[in-house]
Amino acid sequence: MNSAEWHARIESAGQVAGAGFLITPRKVLTCAHVVRQGGAADALTVTFTERPGSPAVPARVIADGGWGGGPTDLGDLAVLELAYDVPIAPAALAPVDAAHGQRADRPRKLVVYGFPVGFDEGTLAEYRITATQLLNREWIQLEAWQPGGQPLAPGFSGAAVTLADTGEVVGMVTAAAGAQGVHNGRMMPTEVMARYWPDLEGLVPTSDHRSADRARLRALVERAVRAGLDCDPVRLYTAAAGPLDPLPPEEGFESLWSAALFVLCEIDGADAAATVARFADRLEALFQASVEASDAPEWSPILVDLQHSGAGDGQVLVEVSAYSGGRRHPVGSDTVPQARVRAYVQDRIEAAFRYLTPGCDELIAFALPRDWIDLPVDRWASAPDDDTPLGSVYPLVVTDQARLRAGARHQLTRAWKRLDTLPGARVHRVECGSPEEPARLRMRLRRPDACLAGFATAPAAPRTRPHFDTSLTAPAPVVIWSRGGCATGPEEACAGGDGCAGKTFLDELDACVSGVPPAELPRQVLALREEADAEDGHWARDIQLLWDDPRVFTDPHGGTPAHAHSPVA
């Protein structure tokens, strides 16, 4: 189930009542007995647990199936309307016969996501249908995929029953067997649900579209909606429709989603696949043209904060956070022995990815004390079983912890707003041979056209350390250097002529970034690191990028405590 954000937890008067699933940006389906539980139908809220940190959304019942209140009564369906549209792609429905599988001796695996006691954050159960027969024209019987699996229990009621391979919904759990040790239950298939709520009929695709085509179209629509693609759904459909396909509705389409659903649900027959392909191709072309017109990354960063712990030289205070939807989500915080820092960071970065905004550009950022600013974090292994450098897998930057303070962030925000208008990153060179006075450097870096301070030597070099400190506090929006840099000793003078590694670095850097917008520098440096990994002696082998647009790292010290309680634990 690649897209699980539409799974919903239904709460009644603050208590978990069951499950549900988002069917439109504002409507959720669940069981009638879930919302009547405890007699608190007027105090309903819905939480989307696969978006950690998102608030519970108030909801009200707007339709039901006429359920009488008994365990065998028909019509156990409720439609909830949320207080506002949520920015989540709704669940995809499968054709009505998809749960049966192609062969009777090879049933399809079904997956259910519910909230039984002890699993308020959700758990999965694997099932299959016992037979295609409808019980009392209302239910299909479910049985466990394998003995010993998670049984259906209170908390699964209202959960979507999905195809394991596509994530599409074929029905809704309405009841468990109720007997100890019996791992079966019942689901209401989508065609029965549509009988009680006719609006659902327009959301069930025809069986003339292949799973891969449906998945591709939905993925494209999700990307386009998330990116805010400006397109006319009626014109898009008209351009894709075949000569025998129906005309668009007179009232038009209220959204790109509704146009895509019209293609999937209203067009059938031999030409259905061709229409879906044309619609998807035209949408992809529009999206690509939009991306090429405005290719600025939409960063969703993971921030790794390393600090001296105060508990001894061998201890490091590590905190990892993820940023999504303008909020910071703490992932982990601990005092770690120095020898275990890399492994701890690897583990927490992997955990942080589940919080990132889908479709956004991931960015790994390390906030470091000034005396650790040259730490080669980009060379750390990306995973325990993969020694590819972290900085060659993801865009990776560093920043000075002092620049996270409110005053510096205010100045940097103003500078970055100015940089948005620049077509490329202009490099101010700090040569290893004859650096200008720090006071003069500060004045130059505070000019309106200042962007990037490029250093020919590493920060620890005695001759340029004052200039490096000045560039951080000016503050220069971007600072780049080579950890190798000029190899001249501390007492020697370097003219910075031909053969100087520092001069070569600055020359190459200037050529590579002068036409790159400042917002895209992390991606450009990633490309340089990949090149350096493939070529011995590459000038960018030890490149270090200090980049910290405050608009990307919103509220760096806010959020909730890192050690949030997990009911599963």
Side-chain angles (χ1 to χ4, degrees):
M1 302 187 316
N2 296 323
S3 179
E5 291 190 336
W6 45 263
H7 288 293
R9 185 178 69 204
I10 313 299
E11 295 108 7
S12 177
Q15 300 296 315
V16 176
F21 54 102
L22 188 73
I23 201 67
T24 75
R26 202 164 186 167
K27 291 184 176 64
V28 169
L29 298 184
T30 187
C31 290
H33 78 259
V34 167
V35 299
R36 293 192 199 176
Q37 183 170 296
D42 58 344
L44 294 171
T45 57
V46 175
T47 300
F48 297 95
T49 58
E50 289 302 298
R51 299 195 70 167
S54 61
V57 184
R60 65 187 182 96
V61 178
I62 60 169
D64 61 49
W67 180 62
T72 60
D73 288 341
L74 307 181
D76 192 3
L77 171 76
V79 183
L80 307 186
E81 183 179 67
L82 304 178
Y84 50 83
D85 288 0
V86 293
I88 297 173
L93 302 187
V96 295
D97 57 351
H100 306 158
Q102 300 299 315
R103 292 173 48 180
D105 62 340
R106 192 175 295 173
R108 299 189 74 167
K109 181 186 289 188
L110 307 175
V111 178
V112 183
Y113 186 102
F115 305 93
V117 174
F119 293 93
D120 285 358
E121 293 178 4
T123 190
L124 300 174
E126 296 179 336
Y127 277 76
R128 60 187 172 195
I129 65 172
T130 303
T132 59
Q133 177 183 347
L134 274 177
L135 304 175
N136 205 13
R137 300 186 66 249
E138 182 87 356
W139 306 290
I140 287 180
Q141 183 167 304
L142 298 173
E143 62 181 32
W145 181 258
Q146 58 186 3
Q150 167 68 48
L152 296 179
F156 278 102
S157 294
V161 181
T162 66
L163 299 172
D165 53 347
T166 69
E168 294 174 308
V169 177
V170 295
M172 178 182 71
V173 174
T174 57
Q180 185 70 26
V182 179
H183 288 211
N184 63 19
R186 291 176 176 177
M187 80 168 184
M188 181 186 292
T190 52
E191 65 265 32
V192 176
M193 297 167 69
R195 185 197 308 157
Y196 293 115
W197 187 51
D199 287 359
L200 194 65
E201 290 180 356
L203 304 177
V204 180
T206 72
S207 57
D208 295 301
H209 303 296
R210 297 178 303 175
S211 296
D213 294 337
R214 297 196 303 271
R216 179 190 176 218
L217 180 56
R218 286 189 61 86
L220 284 170
V221 173
E222 286 184 30
R223 289 172 59 198
V225 171
R226 193 183 304 120
L229 179 66
D230 184 16
C231 74
D232 183 340
V234 173
R235 292 180 62 185
L236 181 63
Y237 171 75
T238 303
L244 301 180
D245 290 336
L247 295 173
E250 290 186 6
E251 67 275 14
F253 300 113
E254 63 179 17
S255 67
L256 185 57
W257 275 117
S258 62
L261 287 170
F262 187 87
V263 171
L264 292 176
C265 304
E266 300 296 331
I267 299 177
D268 54 15
D271 296 330
T275 301
V276 169
R278 287 193 297 268
F279 189 95
D281 289 344
R282 283 164 172 75
L283 178 58
E284 187 169 31
L286 285 173
F287 183 78
Q288 187 60 37
S290 173
V291 169
E292 291 173 355
S294 178
D295 199 30
E298 186 179 355
W299 297 117
S300 189
I302 296 171
L303 180 64
V304 181
D305 195 331
L306 304 182
Q307 300 184 41
H308 300 285
S309 72
D313 293 339
Q315 302 292 316
V316 180
L317 181 60
V318 186
E319 182 168 308
V320 180
S321 306
Y323 290 81
S324 176
R327 295 192 59 188
R328 171 179 173 265
H329 303 279
V331 177
S333 179
D334 207 346
T335 300
V336 181
Q338 197 163 11
R340 290 189 53 246
V341 168
R342 295 191 187 192
Y344 183 88
V345 168
Q346 284 174 348
D347 179 69
R348 295 310 184 272
I349 285 178
E350 182 62 30
F353 269 97
R354 67 190 293 265
Y355 293 90
L356 298 190
T357 304
C360 289
D361 297 87
E362 70 275 4
L363 176 70
I364 310 295
F366 282 78
L368 304 170
R370 185 76 54 87
D371 57 334
W372 288 356
I373 202 69
D374 211 27
L375 200 64
V377 289
D378 60 294
R379 305 302 304 173
W380 289 6
S382 57
D385 57 351
D386 184 359
D387 60 1
T388 305
L390 189 63
S392 298
V393 177
Y394 308 110
L396 185 147
V397 301
V398 301
T399 188
D400 177 31
Q401 284 170 344
R403 289 163 65 108
L404 299 180
R405 296 172 185 162
R409 286 170 59 77
H410 179 79
Q411 294 182 66
L412 282 168
T413 300
R414 186 171 61 241
W416 273 97
K417 287 182 178 179
R418 173 173 43 80
L419 295 186
D420 287 343
T421 65
L422 299 182
R426 190 178 68 85
V427 179
H428 178 72
R429 300 167 65 109
V430 183
E431 308 279 0
C432 57
S434 54
E436 58 193 312
E437 290 297 319
R440 184 173 294 276
L441 175 63
R442 177 181 295 276
M443 291 177 58
R444 289 177 64 86
L445 293 178
R446 294 176 72 88
R447 289 179 179 176
D449 61 343
C451 176
L452 190 159
F455 280 77
T457 60
R463 294 187 310 279
T464 53
R465 183 56 190 256
H467 303 80
F468 184 80
D469 290 344
T470 295
S471 72
L472 296 187
T473 58
V478 183
V479 186
I480 298 182
W481 67 96
S482 170
R483 293 188 298 270
C486 179
T488 304
E491 302 303 327
E492 303 175 51
C494 176
D498 292 340
C500 170
K503 179 181 183 303
T504 299
F505 177 81
L506 290 180
D507 289 345
E508 296 283 359
L509 177 68
D510 207 353
C512 285
V513 306
S514 59
V516 177
E520 298 181 24
L521 284 173
R523 202 153 55 188
Q524 176 70 5
V525 170
L526 169 64
L528 291 173
R529 286 171 174 151
E530 290 176 322
E531 287 181 15
D533 282 346
E535 180 182 329
D536 291 339
H538 195 282
W539 66 272
R541 168 76 181 181
D542 295 312
I543 193 170
Q544 193 89 324
L545 169 63
L546 189 146
W547 186 101
D548 50 6
D549 183 349
R551 299 167 300 178
V552 173
F553 302 98
T554 53
D555 189 23
H557 299 299
T560 55
H563 299 294
H565 171 66
S566 168
V568 177

